[in-house]
Amino acid sequence: IDEISEDYRRLVLASQGTVEAVIESAFPLEQAMIEKISEAFRKKIGAKNLHSTVKVSGELIGGIRVIIGSKIYDGTTRSELDRLYDTITR
């Protein structure tokens, strides 16, 4: 039932031109920054509205990760360090 409810909610939001996004950050973000990020991604994906949820995750070290549907926009320090490690260990 939870999955059906979640799918229904997404369909309702989509019918209103609203897309959901999760903004992950290593530190709490001020509301003004959340609005700037949301507006930038709203324009990027061409959505009428973007509903953003913020999650704080210290493991990211710095930067932000934005998840919209199945797309992940990762600008975190953790991902950069992981890429650097992969390059060095090859």
Side-chain angles (χ1 to χ4, degrees):
I1 292 179
D2 290 338
E3 290 177 20
I4 294 170
S5 175
E6 184 63 26
D7 286 343
Y8 178 75
R9 189 177 66 73
R10 277 193 216 115
L11 287 171
V12 168
L13 290 173
S15 73
Q16 298 168 348
T18 301
V19 176
E20 290 188 294
V22 176
I23 301 171
E24 294 180 337
S25 173
F27 305 99
L29 298 172
E30 293 182 8
Q31 187 61 36
M33 181 58 70
I34 295 168
E35 290 171 8
K36 283 183 179 181
I37 294 167
S38 296
E39 181 61 15
F41 278 92
R42 184 195 66 76
K43 288 179 181 177
K44 181 177 184 68
I45 64 170
K48 185 175 179 182
N49 300 304
L50 189 73
H51 178 264
S52 298
T53 304
V54 178
K55 292 185 178 179
V56 176
S57 178
E59 71 183 30
L60 300 178
I61 302 172
I64 63 165
R65 177 186 301 146
V66 179
I67 303 167
I68 301 173
S70 62
K71 293 191 177 194
I72 300 173
Y73 304 91
D74 196 340
T76 62
T77 304
R78 168 57 47 207
S79 68
E80 290 297 322
L81 290 172
D82 289 344
R83 280 190 282 265
L84 180 61
Y85 178 79
D86 288 343
T87 301
I88 291 172
T89 58
R90 286 184 200 195

